[in-house]
Amino acid sequence: MFKSVSDLVRLVNEQKKSAAKLMIEQEALVSDTSEAEVVAQMRESFNVMKKAVQKGINGVVSHSGMCGGDAKKLWEYIQNNTFITDITLLKAACYAIATNEVNASMGIICATPTAGSSGILPGALIAIQEKCGFNDDKIIDALFVAGAFGFIIANNAFISGAAGGCQAEIGSASSMAAAAVTFLMGGSIEQSAHAMAMAMKNMLGLTCDPLAGLVEVPCIKRNASGAVNAILTSELALAGIESKVPWDEVIAAMYATGKYMPSIFKETALGGLATTPTGIKWKEILWS
């Protein structure tokens, strides 16, 4: 069983197996089930992700009424073909927003690794799938790669905003997606690890400060940023750029940052954006 990124990289190289295969084997062992069943469960999770994306881009409104419809707006913007950057990047952002708007509307999503960060992995992976024509089996393997890195992060730092701030949710998901995208594009395990580390470094210190305590604002748009961050850092790693801070040290830094982060920035809605005049107004509207 691997416990660190260094362990994972070593095992991939020693055993000549992909990180996806190692994660499948480990999950089957821990859950006392067959590898086939583990893969079948991941396939079902991916199906949930695809359905959430489609539902979101058609337009949904959050349960609170605070937000909704932004994925549809971005989708229509993409169709106009007047965008500045790249269609794949914009699709990743759109699909990430779509997923989180479905979450906010009390729809069905797959937590990756949390509901608040559930848009990043499907956003990045489905956009890449559409660009490159990967079949679902390849995407499922990429999800296991993301799971391997997520397993390491969860057991060495945090994945919840209440424990470590938004860096632990958006940061972890973006890091997982960066590693998965790098794998999809043929990168080495070392390159996946560097992409993971660079994505996490970009998110260090991010606070969890939701308006009215709901997983809506700024959470939904942060998922878009997380998906874009994942693709960017994957591109950096594929270009041969490396994280100057070793992989596991970056995770340790995220843990230390979260540990010393004031509680007002850990999903309590007592600081940051939650205490702006607009944040206070929404709290009064929804909870008074």
Side-chain angles (χ1 to χ4, degrees), residues 88-131:
T88 303
L89 209 64
L90 286 177
K91 279 185 173 181
C94 178
Y95 298 164
I97 292 171
T99 302
N100 271 84
E101 286 188 333
V102 169
N103 177 57
S105 70
M106 302 302 168
I108 300 173
I109 53 89
C110 179
T112 52
T114 66
S117 61
S118 60
I120 295 171
L121 262 169
L125 294 183
I126 294 173
I128 298 295
Q129 181 181 35
E130 291 177 352
K131 175 182 176 62

Side-chain angles (χ1 to χ4, degrees), residues 110-118 120-121 150 153-154 158-160 168-174 176:
C110 179
T112 52
T114 66
S117 61
S118 60
I120 295 171
L121 262 169
I153 294 167
F158 319 97
I159 58 169
S160 79
E169 293 207 21
I170 300 296
S172 294
S174 188
M176 292 162 63

Side-chain angles (χ1 to χ4, degrees), residues 41-53 99-100 102-103 107-122 143 173 223:
Q41 290 172 356
M42 186 64 85
R43 189 178 302 278
E44 179 56 31
S45 293
F46 185 48
N47 287 334
V48 169
M49 294 178 196
K50 289 189 288 185
K51 289 176 183 177
V53 165
T99 302
N100 271 84
V102 169
N103 177 57
I108 300 173
I109 53 89
C110 179
T112 52
T114 66
S117 61
S118 60
I120 295 171
L121 262 169
L143 285 169
N223 273 258

Side-chain angles (χ1 to χ4, degrees), residues 46-269:
F46 185 48
N47 287 334
V48 169
M49 294 178 196
K50 289 189 288 185
K51 289 176 183 177
V53 165
Q54 191 57 53
K55 182 176 181 180
I57 62 176
N58 287 331
V60 293
V61 177
S62 71
H63 188 68
S64 70
M66 191 189 304
C67 58
D70 287 341
K72 184 178 181 181
K73 289 177 183 177
L74 185 51
W75 182 249
E76 291 170 349
Y77 174 77
I78 292 169
Q79 306 314 305
N80 289 334
N81 204 32
T82 57
F83 43 83
I84 301 166
T85 54
D86 170 74
I87 191 169
T88 303
L89 209 64
L90 286 177
K91 279 185 173 181
C94 178
Y95 298 164
I97 292 171
T99 302
N100 271 84
E101 286 188 333
V102 169
N103 177 57
S105 70
M106 302 302 168
I108 300 173
I109 53 89
C110 179
T112 52
T114 66
S117 61
S118 60
I120 295 171
L121 262 169
L125 294 183
I126 294 173
I128 298 295
Q129 181 181 35
E130 291 177 352
K131 175 182 176 62
C132 300
F134 295 122
N135 61 31
D136 282 4
D137 288 343
K138 188 68 174 178
I139 302 300
I140 289 164
D141 277 348
L143 285 169
F144 278 111
V145 172
F149 282 92
F151 172 84
I152 293 165
I153 294 167
N155 284 279
N156 289 278
F158 319 97
I159 58 169
S160 79
C166 203
Q167 61 164 8
E169 293 207 21
I170 300 296
S172 294
S174 188
S175 300
M176 292 162 63
V181 169
T182 305
F183 165 82
L184 268 183
M185 301 308 296
S188 66
I189 184 60
E190 289 85 0
Q191 287 175 318
S192 282
H194 284 302
M196 179 281 303
M198 288 186 283
M200 183 168 287
K201 287 192 294 185
N202 291 344
M203 296 289 184
L204 285 180
L206 187 60
T207 59
C208 184
D209 49 356
L211 270 63
L214 301 177
V215 187
E216 297 186 32
V217 181
C219 323
I220 294 173
K221 295 183 182 71
R222 281 181 181 169
N223 273 258
S225 297
V228 170
N229 179 48
I231 294 174
L232 171 61
T233 52
S234 176
E235 295 265 41
L236 295 178
L238 290 166
I241 298 171
E242 299 181 351
S243 173
K244 295 300 182 183
V245 180
W247 317 309
D248 292 304
E249 289 184 19
V250 174
I251 295 174
M254 192 265 272
Y255 174 75
T257 301
K259 184 178 179 181
Y260 292 107
M261 184 181 287
S263 61
I264 62 170
F265 299 129
K266 295 182 182 180
E267 211 172 339
T268 58

Side-chain angles (χ1 to χ4, degrees), residues 4-11 152 247-248:
S4 67
V5 178
S6 296
D7 285 345
L8 179 61
V9 171
R10 175 179 54 79
L11 288 172
I152 293 165
W247 317 309
D248 292 304

